[in-house]
Amino acid sequence: MAASGRLSTFRLPPLPTIREIIKLFRLNAVKQLSQNFLLDLRLTDKIVRKAGNLTNAYVYEVGPGPGGITRSILNANVAELLVVEKDTRFIPGLKMLSDAAPGKLRIVHGDMLTFKIERAFPESLKRCWDDDPPNVHVIGNLPFSVSTPLIIKWLESISLREGPFAYGRTQMTLTFQKEVAERLTANTGGKQRSRLSIMAQYLCDVQHLFTIPGRAFVPKPEVDVGVVHFTPLVQPKIQQPFKLVEKVVQNVFQFRRKYCHRGLGMLFPEAQRLESTGRLLQWADIDPTLRPRQLSISHFKSLCDVYRKMCDEDPHLFAYNFREELKQNKSKTQEKDKDKESYRL
């Protein structure tokens, strides 16, 4: 029994090692699913420590696999751990952990990209957005193949305050390829400055906590892995709809080696491109010869605010897609060529 006045601390009983679990259940990593197992519990413990104080917290772990990080989370004395795993091969090993931690671990066989977490935890955990973050955390060693689409999905969820962020400014601690981690945290002018830098940093405080060498994983990936922590901001640095920000940012960075006016021009139909791009840059007070990586969040805020006004003036502008216009022009050219060929015959 715990001493009076002290909270009891939960620790898992002795269990087979992760390596033994992999052998026991024949859990070979599937290359097509970008599966890489982290076996060193010192490293999984470090990931969990860096996530913050998890005592009595409710944690959502994505892609637990054989359960390395899962063990470290359970040993952090959480109130409840919910894991979502798509690969059925990992379920028996996770159930072994559940049996060793009665009432602590809940297992869902499902897809992290579609799982609805809004009602997974008690309503009492919800906090106002202006308050401190709730006692809810998202932690995961993400498969490389889904890490980028998943973080974009969650960033949009932050803007809408849904999914894990229905509880408030839920913190996330996630792994990415080192290069992706560097993009997420890159400063203005940095070589890794990218679309991900802007989309993450206008909504969150983003920190690259530490790097795990590839040799720590089984099988060993060709790259190192970065551990990144996200805390949603009380006020986004760009107060426009997520889809609008995403469109502006994507267009700018699709020509990352060109001057920024090149990508911004693709926001407008060809017939008005030159004039509209000039107006956008002038009203936003942006130097058209800046490269995309030289643009700050403040620059993007100005661009998005002006583009929003232009869309309000022209209701059809936001729906414009320059690739569709290219396809239509190409189709018209092919039709003209066919007509010329027919005339010759």
Side-chain angles (χ1 to χ4, degrees):
M1 182 179 291
S4 177
R6 291 185 180 181
L7 292 172
S8 60
T9 300
F10 173 83
R11 299 292 295 179
L12 285 168
L15 292 165
T17 65
I18 298 297
R19 195 176 294 275
E20 289 169 343
I21 290 289
I22 290 172
K23 287 182 179 178
L24 178 63
F25 295 106
R26 299 178 181 178
L27 302 176
N28 296 321
V30 178
K31 186 175 181 180
Q32 292 87 339
L33 299 178
S34 306
Q35 291 177 339
N36 303 95
F37 306 145
L38 187 56
L39 307 185
D40 189 338
L41 293 184
R42 291 170 300 180
L43 287 172
T44 60
D45 284 348
K46 185 176 181 180
I47 291 171
V48 171
R49 283 198 309 274
K50 292 290 186 178
N53 182 8
L54 300 186
T55 301
N56 294 323
Y58 288 75
V59 180
Y60 170 37
E61 184 188 2
V62 290
I69 295 178
T70 311
R71 296 185 184 209
S72 296
I73 295 171
L74 288 170
N75 280 330
N77 210 31
V78 298
E80 183 181 3
L81 170 58
L82 169 66
V83 298
V84 175
E85 177 55 63
K86 185 177 182 179
D87 193 332
T88 54
R89 299 176 304 146
F90 296 121
I91 301 300
L94 293 170
K95 284 183 176 177
M96 182 183 292
L97 279 179
S98 180
D99 291 341
K104 292 274 188 181
L105 177 59
R106 187 154 44 111
I107 303 164
V108 173
H109 176 221
D111 189 338
M112 67 180 82
L113 287 168
T114 57
F115 179 71
K116 304 291 185 184
I117 193 178
E118 288 89 337
R119 298 180 182 178
F121 295 136
E123 287 281 320
S124 59
L125 292 170
K126 291 186 175 181
R127 296 289 179 268
C128 292
W129 197 260
D130 292 349
D131 291 345
D132 290 338
N135 204 15
V136 176
H137 293 257
V138 177
I139 299 176
N141 175 30
L142 303 179
F144 295 159
S145 61
V146 302
S147 62
T148 298
L150 184 61
I151 194 58
I152 290 294
K153 171 184 167 65
W154 276 342
L155 289 171
E156 183 171 12
S157 294
I158 289 173
S159 74
L160 299 172
R161 302 182 184 182
E162 64 183 23
F165 313 100
Y167 299 94
R169 295 187 297 118
T170 299
Q171 298 176 80
M172 302 187 291
T173 308
L174 306 167
T175 62
F176 300 88
Q177 293 181 55
K178 182 184 176 184
E179 183 178 342
V180 176
E182 290 172 345
R183 288 176 185 170
L184 285 162
T185 56
N187 293 322
T188 305
K191 289 184 178 179
Q192 295 287 12
R193 188 73 161 178
S194 69
R195 171 183 70 114
L196 281 178
S197 316
I198 308 303
M199 299 308 295
Q201 293 171 36
Y202 98 84
L203 287 164
C204 298
D205 174 55
V206 192
Q207 298 178 4
H208 184 174
L209 299 175
F210 64 99
T211 299
I212 303 174
R215 64 178 180 275
F217 293 83
V218 176
K220 178 183 176 296
E222 296 178 359
V223 295
D224 293 338
V225 172
V227 180
V228 182
H229 186 79
F230 302 81
T231 304
L233 299 171
V234 173
Q235 290 290 341
K237 294 179 180 178
I238 304 172
Q239 297 195 26
Q240 295 295 348
F242 183 88
K243 291 297 186 185
L244 184 145
V245 178
E246 186 176 40
K247 184 175 184 181
V248 172
V249 174
Q250 280 180 332
N251 275 273
V252 169
F253 278 100
Q254 68 181 324
F255 300 109
R256 59 180 299 112
R257 297 184 185 277
K258 305 290 186 181
Y259 293 140
C260 66
H261 71 80
R262 179 74 172 86
L264 287 168
M266 298 300 106
L267 291 168
F268 305 103
E270 189 174 9
Q272 65 185 72
R273 185 164 295 155
L274 191 62
E275 179 190 353
S276 295
T277 306
R279 281 197 295 145
L280 172 61
L281 288 161
Q282 182 181 1
W283 293 349
D285 194 22
I286 305 293
D287 180 351
T289 63
L290 288 175
R291 310 282 182 182
R293 69 178 184 171
Q294 295 175 303
L295 295 176
S296 66
I297 298 285
S298 178
H299 285 137
F300 276 101
K301 177 185 184 304
S302 297
L303 288 167
C304 290
D305 288 347
V306 173
Y307 180 63
R308 171 65 182 272
K309 289 179 182 177
M310 297 174 82
C311 289
D312 289 344
E313 292 171 2
D314 179 358
H316 302 292
L317 180 57
F318 185 72
Y320 170 74
N321 184 318
F322 82 93
R323 289 189 174 87
E324 287 299 319
E325 186 176 33
L326 283 176
K327 285 180 185 178
Q328 291 172 8
N329 290 342
K330 185 177 180 180
S331 178
K332 289 176 183 177
T333 301
Q334 289 173 343
E335 287 296 324
K336 286 180 181 178
D337 290 343
K338 285 181 182 179
D339 289 343
K340 286 180 182 179
E341 190 66 27
S342 298
Y343 180 75
R344 286 173 188 166
L345 293 174

